[in-house]
Amino acid sequence: MQHLALFVVCLLGSSLANPASTRLWSRGNGRIIGGSDADIADYPWQLSFEYSDSHICGASIISSNWALSAAHCADQLNVLLISFRAGSSIRGSGGTVRKAGSGYMHGSYDSNTLDYDVTVIKVVSLPSDGYDPEGGLAVTVTGWGTTYTDGPAASTLQKVDISIVDRSTCRSIFANINTVTDRMVCAGEAGRSVCNGDSGGPLVSGNTQVGIVSWGNPECEAASGVYANVANLHSWIRAATGV
């Protein structure tokens, strides 16, 4: 059974959650590893997830008033301090900023394993804008942040073209770190992946979103990244938003 976990102001704390041991990286000023500058016009669905007016994660537009992101990005945040910046390639400036109203986290979300790492957040007037991906599928991920582990933040949106990694290979890569479930998909390779602050951002094949940046190796350059599997979670997203 699909579960909806409504979050509103009264259910959210005002402070960030402390990372669990398997949460290898999550929030922060992360940036695409091995990528290049991107123009928001080419990725109009990309959002900057801001908290207290500072970028903490990525997100994507799925309708005129719903944003899609990772549950760990919204976990224990005060919804009144959440906003989304749309239509700008520059982190922290330009475009339009819309405040969040309410939203849902998946009822089975596990903050330790990051299983069911998905949230949808209702936003006032965003710009308008499923299948289980197989290994080898060409995809693109976008986000803001560092080009190496613990590096400085970037100000310009980054993108990198990568490929889906088949699930058996993905599980072997992360066997000693965390369990890769059916609600997850891997993409990228050593030197071409994601890092802190990319969390919640979209992994797309053409105009189809196939993943949400979720977690990865503590050394961002060392391996592929792990994403929430949008195809697997699509029925929950539709139940929560009607989209």
Side-chain angles (χ1 to χ4, degrees):
M1 179 178 179
Q2 300 288 339
H3 297 284
L4 305 181
L6 176 66
F7 64 84
V8 291
V9 178
C10 62
L11 299 182
L12 290 176
S14 60
S15 61
L16 302 181
N18 291 323
S21 59
T22 54
R23 189 175 301 171
L24 304 171
W25 47 258
S26 55
R27 303 188 190 98
N29 293 316
R31 169 173 158 188
I32 299 295
I33 302 295
S36 58
D37 288 355
D39 187 335
I40 196 69
D42 295 325
Y43 306 96
W45 48 81
Q46 176 76 48
L47 294 169
S48 172
F49 185 136
E50 297 185 340
Y51 190 67
S52 295
D53 301 320
S54 295
H55 172 85
I56 61 166
C57 277
S60 57
I61 297 168
I62 59 171
S63 79
S64 61
N65 59 355
W66 285 100
L68 178 67
S69 190
H72 76 259
C73 289
D75 193 15
Q76 299 191 44
L77 299 188
N78 185 331
V79 74
L80 289 180
L81 300 180
I82 295 174
S83 60
F84 294 92
R85 186 180 300 274
S88 178
S89 302
I90 306 302
R91 180 177 52 84
S93 68
T96 58
V97 177
R98 302 295 186 221
K99 294 291 186 181
S102 62
Y104 296 95
M105 295 170 63
H106 199 291
S108 297
Y109 166 64
D110 187 323
S111 62
N112 290 312
T113 66
L114 296 186
D115 205 1
Y116 296 94
D117 191 15
V118 60
T119 186
V120 288
I121 302 175
K122 196 166 189 177
V123 187
V124 177
S125 188
L126 283 170
S128 297
D129 184 33
Y131 56 98
D132 192 12
E134 297 181 355
L137 177 70
V139 287
T140 300
V141 63
T142 47
W144 288 270
T146 69
T147 53
Y148 56 92
T149 303
D150 297 326
S155 60
T156 301
L157 182 66
Q158 299 287 295
K159 68 100 173 179
V160 66
D161 298 323
I162 50 180
S163 297
I164 295 292
V165 177
D166 68 84
R167 187 165 284 112
S168 61
T169 300
C170 181
R171 285 173 172 157
S172 66
I173 291 171
F174 294 103
N176 297 322
I177 298 176
N178 196 14
T179 301
V180 175
T181 72
D182 289 345
R183 275 77 57 190
M184 303 174 189
V185 62
C186 286
E189 59 189 64
R192 297 174 66 82
S193 191
V194 284
C195 202
N196 284 341
D198 292 323
S199 289
L203 178 74
V204 300
S205 174
N207 293 326
T208 301
Q209 184 167 350
V210 298
I212 304 165
V213 181
S214 183
W215 59 276
N217 194 289
E219 296 292 332
C220 298
E221 301 87 352
S224 55
V226 184
Y227 303 74
N229 186 345
V230 170
N232 185 284
L233 297 166
H234 184 260
S235 60
W236 178 88
I237 295 168
R238 175 165 289 181
T241 67
V243 175

